[in-house]
Structures are given as structure tokens and as C-alpha cells.
Amino acid sequence: GKDNYNSLCKLDLAARIIAESTVVLKNSDGVLPLSKDAKVALVGEEACSSAPLAQGGGSGWNGFACNSVPKVNVRDGIAGLADGPHFECSSDPDADVVVAVVAPEKAEEGRDRSTLQLFPKDVTMIQKLVAAGKKVVVVINAPGPMITSTWDEGVSAILISWLPGQQNGRGIAMALYGKTHEASGRLPFTFPKCNTKECTKEDELASVHLGDKVADQSVRVFSEKGLIGYRYYHAKNIKVSYPFGFGLFAYGSAEVKYSEASAASDGGSVKVSVTMSHDGPRAGHEVPQMYLSFPSDIPGDASSKPEWVLKGFEKRLLKPSTPTEVMFTLTQRDLSYWDDAPGKSLWVCAPGTFKVCVGSNSRDAILPDKGACTTFSSPCIEDPLVVKKDDETVPSQWLPARLSPVVFAASGLASVVFVATAVVGARRWHRGLSAGQQRSLVAAEEEEGNVE
């Protein structure tokens, strides 16, 4: 009926999505999940707010037609857990753990955020708590990429949630305590590292992709071609704080090992398989990510060809000491590049040798001691197929082609979602994630049975 938005099952699902899409960036000394016996001090304006940040502005604002359901803050979310403890917002000097819940500048349509950093007052608060010797857990309701390198070194743990809607604090509380649903999200974009500890405005712009194009507004011109987001940081070998696709497995209690990568032709496609395992103390959800490197001799501008392109991912439950195989399929469309020569404008399935790597994030997947890699020959026939926009294929004579600005966009341009991870690539470093998109995509995956 018209009021089904506030049914218990819908609200429960919303809270679960928030919890499982929350990303654990750091967890020193196993402070997370929190014990219900731990004495917690809640600080930060979002912790006990009557209107915690729930959505973006502009087209991201839907007026919350269901405003009869109040937005839940973290204090009330914790209290609402089964046998949940009751805390007040205070800097209790006797607390075992301090949970700081903060939000950066709001994102909205029609303007860009002025910075990727937290407000100075929140940075100062975090630094003072760390200096006092506290175990500090920082929770950020983030609208997009963030710079954390000015304060993250001394904190015990960092959780990132994404404009989580009305069940805001309830889902974050689930992520903090990890009893029913674990925080198992992965970053939808790169978190850049500022090149100085002070990170002035000039330092920040010099540290991020396209930052040098903001002042003269040339950022508005699409000049990066295929080097969008994480592809740029890869190609330029730039050190970042947290790479695209990053998120700790099982609250950092173990590291997933990838091995036995193989690739085999299956008709016109390629099946890629890899084995995952861990020796940690608990089960957890891993998100294996498949990155593809195209043959080096395909036509195009060498300076703008991505080295690696995300082509697939899954979310899988991994139990301790239980090797688990995961398999991906690469279609001919996945192996194609865009031919924009005069009279063409077609996807062309590339000949040659491809390299594919599977791992936990865009950085680790391609490292020899972190990911698992293999090579394979293109399944494209000698007279390559041209993949048309309607995904039908027709024989076509091979002709030299040049690379268009949208080459390698076959996996959905620059945008891919890691389910219940809220992993969506953004074309610009300052663009944020739509909470509505995140929820609908996760729900769609659940209907298809891809989320456990």
C-alpha cells in the first residue's frame, strides 16, 4: 500500500544495506566490532543529531516523502540494537572507546564541494582525542571521495558510510557492533593522499586527479580520455591513502589470499577462475575484483590508455580455512575497444594476449604477492567481430583504429557498483554517490541472489 515505505521489513532492509555497504578503512588492535560491554563516548555533531546527514542536495534530495519515519542518529541506533547499551554524547574521560561521528561539506547538484577534507573543527577534535591517548573510531557519512591523511594515522578505526537515509544511525550501529550484519563495503572511488600533512587548499588540489584544472575551470573539458578515476592513479603510479575497491575483510581480522588463477576459452568468451582462502578467526564477506589489461599493441593514444580496467566483481562469504573458487566471464564486448575512425564508431574485439588479475582492490589485485594473475589469448576470430551498440556481432574486415575518449568503457563507462559495497566509480574526483542509486542497485542484486 501507499504506506509500505515504513513497514518493518522495509526499514530492516534499509538498515541492513547501510550496515553492509559501510566500508572499514582501518581497524587497529581489533577495536571493531565493538563489544556491548565496552564503555563508549559518543562525540561529533552527527552522533546525537536530530537530523543526521541522510542525503545529498539537488537531484539527490527527494523530500523524504516518508518523513513520518524519523531519521535515526547513532546514539539511538546503538540503543535500538538487541540488548543495545545506552550512551549519551559526551567526552567521558573514563570511556574505553571514543566514537566520533562526523560529516564533511554537503554535496549537491549545481556546485562542487570546496574540499575533500573534513571541517577543520572536526579534524582538531580527532587530533586532540588521539593526543589524549584515546582509542578513537571515526565514522564519516561521506558524499564522495575524502582526504583522511591529515588525521588518520593515530586513530584506531575508520568507518565510511554513504548518505545513509533515514535508518542512518541504526545501520551504522549494526556496522559498529557487527553482530547481525557486518560492515563489508568496498570503496566506490579512490581516497587520494595529500602531499603534505598540513594539506592546504593548494596542496589538496596538487594531490588529486584533475585538481590542477579546477582554478581555470578546464576541469569542465573532458580531456582525461580513458584515464578516469582509479585508472589515472594506476597509470601515473601515484600513491593514495585508500585505493578504489578497498575495504578490510572481516574487520581486518584476516587477509584473503588469492591463488590458482586460470583463464580458458569458452566459445566466444573467456572463463576466469581464482581460489580465495583465509586463516582468520571468523567468516566474512570478500569482494573479489577482476581487472583486465589489454594488449599493448591495440591502436590509440598510449598516454591515455588505462593499464587496468575493472571488468567484474562478486560478493562471497568466506569461512576460515575453506578454499573457495570464484569464476568470472569475459564476453567479447568486455575484450573490445572503441574504434572511432571515420565511418566506424564501433566496438572492435581486440586480438592478442590479455592479462587478467583478481584481488581485493585495484591496487592489490595486480601485485604479485597480493592478487592472482594469468594471461590468455583473445578468443576473437581471425576476422575480428565488430560489436555493435545493440550487442549483436557481425563479421567485419579489420581496419586500423584509433582510441576514442571512451575506450575501455565496455564495463559501463566509468561506473561500476560493488553490491552492498556501494562501489560506484565517478568521472570527477569531487562527485558523490547517490544513496538512492546505491539502495536500488543493492536491492536488485539481492533479488538476483548475488548478495548473501
Side-chain angles (χ1 to χ4, degrees), residues 169-377:
R170 184 180 169 205
I172 292 172
M174 290 178 176
L176 285 168
Y177 286 86
K179 293 297 183 181
T180 306
H181 302 294
E182 64 170 333
S184 52
R186 301 297 183 264
L187 283 185
F189 14 60
T190 301
F191 273 30
K193 183 180 180 68
C194 198
N195 58 21
T196 68
K197 197 67 176 177
E198 295 76 20
C199 201
T200 64
K201 182 66 175 180
E202 291 73 23
D203 297 334
E204 178 179 340
L205 291 174
S207 303
V208 300
H209 185 206
L210 303 176
D212 59 339
K213 300 180 182 298
V214 172
D216 63 3
Q217 298 187 346
S218 60
V219 69
R220 298 179 179 180
V221 179
F222 181 60
S223 61
E224 62 266 42
K225 298 184 179 180
L227 299 186
I228 298 170
Y230 71 92
R231 304 175 187 179
Y232 171 84
Y233 293 102
H234 264 168
K236 303 301 181 183
N237 196 28
I238 296 175
K239 186 175 181 180
V240 301
S241 288
Y242 302 100
F244 175 82
F246 183 85
L248 294 182
F249 167 75
Y251 292 89
S253 61
E255 183 174 340
V256 176
K257 299 174 183 177
Y258 286 81
S259 62
E260 302 175 11
S262 66
S265 294
D266 182 20
S269 61
V270 175
K271 299 290 186 183
V272 178
S273 67
V274 69
T275 298
M276 305 178 293
S277 63
H278 76 93
D279 298 321
R282 57 175 290 172
H285 286 84
E286 173 68 338
V287 183
Q289 302 160 35
M290 175 177 63
Y291 293 87
L292 185 68
S293 180
F294 277 67
S296 60
D297 59 351
I298 66 170
D301 176 12
S303 65
S304 64
K305 290 182 185 178
E307 292 181 341
W308 297 94
V309 183
L310 177 71
K311 288 292 182 176
F313 62 90
E314 284 195 16
K315 190 168 190 177
R316 299 291 291 273
L317 178 67
L318 295 187
K319 297 179 180 180
S321 305
T322 306
T324 301
E325 183 184 45
V326 62
M327 182 172 290
F328 299 96
T329 298
L330 287 166
T331 66
Q332 290 197 21
R333 176 66 179 267
D334 292 322
L335 305 176
S336 298
Y337 66 93
W338 185 254
D339 180 355
D340 71 344
K344 290 296 180 179
S345 294
L346 297 168
W347 290 105
V348 178
C349 192
T353 300
F354 289 79
K355 184 174 183 180
V356 62
C357 294
V358 182
S360 294
N361 56 69
S362 62
R363 177 188 62 197
D364 291 351
I366 64 176
L367 297 178
D369 60 337
K370 296 286 188 178
C373 302
T374 189
T375 59
F376 63 89
S377 296

Side-chain angles (χ1 to χ4, degrees), residues 9 64 74 156 185 209 266 369-370 377-378 393 429 436-437 443 448:
C9 64
F64 276 143
V74 172
S156 298
H209 185 206
D266 182 20
D369 60 337
K370 296 286 188 178
S377 296
S378 172
T393 56
W429 59 271
Q437 287 178 328
E448 294 175 8

Side-chain angles (χ1 to χ4, degrees), residues 18 30 48 63 68 75 94 99 102 196 211 217 228 245 267 355 361 385 402 404 420 433:
I18 295 165
C48 294
S68 59
R75 177 196 60 198
D94 298 323
V99 175
V102 295
T196 68
Q217 298 187 346
I228 298 170
K355 184 174 183 180
N361 56 69
L385 296 177
R402 60 192 177 89
S404 83
L433 171 68

